[in-house]
């Protein structure tokens, strides 16, 4: 996985947690403790030859004997989910990365969680954490049908009175206008799910001036105001300068020059390649950094983003 700290784990248990959703419990072969993680973290999983996919950790961060991920079967996807569903069984070994977190749970007095489908997975450990801490919280969880919605019993066990299930075939889409209209201004809103839900939540929260954190499984539509043109990148550690052509990414240019940079999704959603910027102004085209982080201009996702200035100096 291009330089990750790889872990060789074994499947300790498989179980179906919803229609077309299988949970995989991954353990160290020697039974030892796994690296620590916090709610919102995900793993990169090698799902077949040359395929790496990201899956949110949905278990208990306090239990370091295993990692739990839930995988939605996607027959029309790129093959990773089908490999995990059909080829990976109890006792099999799989390569994963150490946990990484670009969707951290921030401390606050109250939370609103919005989930769509398999987007419940990173929110489940967050909900457990804030419930134990005594914060005010609620969850609005949509899915195609009740049968397709994972972890509903686990969520009810935390506090059924705070969980609103919204199967589409019974109630339609989550009514974001109604849900957000009664939310206190200091509420942290966390949203994960399909792009239409996230885009709608972004629009509604922006209109209300509310804090929103999101995690995407696919890249959002990026409307860049600039036309792609060549620019220069400088490697701070060596002084090497490279030209990034209009039709090539920064990552491609670095790789061709023999400069090692960690990558995984190569579509601006996983955050693996995040790199510090020492000089210059990035043209952000990723789906990971918040608006505030993008405005700061001190980091870039070089797999998709470019430059608004003739040169970028990267901390590589």
């Amino acid at each position: 996985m291009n330089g990750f700290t790889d872990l060789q784990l074994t499947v300790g248990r498989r179980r179906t947690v919803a229609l077309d959703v299988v949970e995989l419990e991954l353990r160290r072969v020697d039974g030892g403790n796994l690296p620590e993680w916090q709610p919102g973290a995900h793993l990169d999983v090698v799902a077949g030859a040359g395929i790496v996919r990201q899956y949110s950790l949905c278990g208990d961060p306090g239990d370091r004997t295993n990692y739990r991920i839930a995988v939605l079967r996607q027959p029309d996807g790129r093959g990773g989910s089908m490999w995990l569903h059909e080829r990976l069984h109890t006792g099999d070994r799989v390569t994963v990365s150490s946990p990484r977190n670009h969707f951290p749970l921030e401390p606050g007095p109250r939370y609103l969680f919005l989930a769509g489908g398999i987007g419940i997975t990173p929110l489940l450990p967050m909900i457990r954490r804030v419930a134990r801490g005594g914060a005010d919280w609620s969850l609005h969880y949509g899915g195609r049908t009740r049968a397709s919605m994972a972890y509903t019993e686990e969520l009810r066990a935390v506090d059924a009175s705070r969980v609103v299930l919204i199967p589409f075939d019974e109630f339609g889409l989550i009514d974001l206008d109604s849900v957000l209209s009664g939310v206190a201004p200091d509420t942290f809103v966390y949203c994960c799910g399909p792009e239409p839900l996230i885009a709608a939540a972004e629009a509604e929260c922006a209109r209300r001036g509310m804090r929103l954190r999101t995690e995407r499984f696919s890249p959002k539509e990026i409307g860049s105001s600039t036309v792609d043109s060549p620019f220069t990148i400088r490697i701070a550690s060596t002084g090497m300068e490279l030209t990034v052509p209009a039709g090539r990414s920064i990552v491609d240019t670095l790789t061709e020059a023999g400069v090692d940079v960690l990558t995984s999704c190569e579509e601006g959603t996983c955050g693996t390649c995040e790199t510090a910027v020492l000089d210059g102004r990035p043209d952000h085209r990723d789906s990971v950094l918040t608006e505030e982080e993008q405005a700061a201009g001190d980091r870039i996702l070089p797999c998709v983003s470019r430059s608004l200035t003739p040169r970028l100096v990267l901390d590589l």
Side-chain angles (χ1 to χ4, degrees), residues 23-38:
E23 180 189 87
L24 301 175
E25 182 183 275
L26 308 177
R27 295 177 175 271
R28 279 183 48 164
V29 177
D30 63 5
N33 282 342
L34 292 161
E36 294 180 355
W37 63 280
Q38 295 298 321

Side-chain angles (χ1 to χ4, degrees), residues 175-221:
D175 184 351
L176 291 176
D177 182 61
S178 175
V179 170
L180 293 169
S181 62
V183 173
D186 59 350
T187 301
F188 284 87
V189 183
Y190 279 76
C191 180
C192 186
E195 181 59 27
L197 171 63
I198 294 178
E202 287 176 332
E204 290 294 333
C205 287
R207 185 164 67 87
R208 292 171 168 81
M210 300 180 67
R211 310 179 198 185
L212 174 67
R213 296 285 301 197
T214 65
E215 183 169 61
R216 285 175 158 87
F217 298 133
S218 59
K220 63 182 178 181
E221 291 291 329

Side-chain angles (χ1 to χ4, degrees), residues 35-82:
E36 294 180 355
W37 63 280
Q38 295 298 321
H42 69 267
L43 301 176
D44 288 344
V45 180
V46 178
I51 300 176
V52 179
R53 295 291 177 266
Q54 290 75 43
Y55 293 99
S56 299
L57 288 165
C58 56
D60 178 4
D63 183 358
R64 295 179 58 192
T65 66
N66 69 82
Y67 291 149
R68 286 168 51 195
I69 61 173
V71 182
L72 171 66
R73 180 193 296 269
Q74 296 178 293
D76 299 327
R78 292 178 290 175
S81 71
M82 298 300 290

Side-chain angles (χ1 to χ4, degrees), residues 4-23:
F4 283 121
T5 302
D6 294 347
L7 303 171
Q8 294 289 326
L9 305 183
T10 186
V11 180
R13 183 179 66 164
R14 280 177 58 112
R15 69 179 180 119
T16 299
V17 292
L19 181 65
D20 290 329
V21 181
V22 63
E23 180 189 87

Side-chain angles (χ1 to χ4, degrees), residues 67-182:
Y67 291 149
R68 286 168 51 195
I69 61 173
V71 182
L72 171 66
R73 180 193 296 269
Q74 296 178 293
D76 299 327
R78 292 178 290 175
S81 71
M82 298 300 290
W83 188 90
L84 291 168
H85 268 259
E86 298 176 358
R87 301 283 298 277
L88 197 64
H89 303 287
T90 302
D92 289 345
R93 295 190 182 186
V94 63
T95 301
V96 307
S97 71
S98 294
R100 290 178 294 106
N101 200 338
H102 291 275
F103 191 41
L105 180 65
E106 300 179 38
R110 53 187 54 86
Y111 299 84
L112 169 64
F113 298 101
L114 303 171
I118 199 64
I120 191 62
T121 51
L123 302 182
L124 182 57
M126 293 186 182
I127 289 168
R128 294 192 185 110
R129 173 70 59 84
V130 301
R132 285 198 302 267
D136 186 19
W137 65 275
S138 64
L139 166 69
H140 291 256
Y141 177 15
R144 299 188 312 277
T145 65
R146 287 183 186 272
S148 72
M149 298 168 68
Y151 299 118
T152 55
E153 291 306 313
E154 287 90 337
L155 290 162
R156 289 193 183 101
V158 177
D159 189 340
S161 68
R162 297 175 184 266
V163 176
V164 181
L165 302 181
I166 310 169
F168 178 79
D169 63 342
E170 298 178 35
F171 303 109
L173 298 173
I174 299 174
D175 184 351
L176 291 176
D177 182 61
S178 175
V179 170
L180 293 169
S181 62

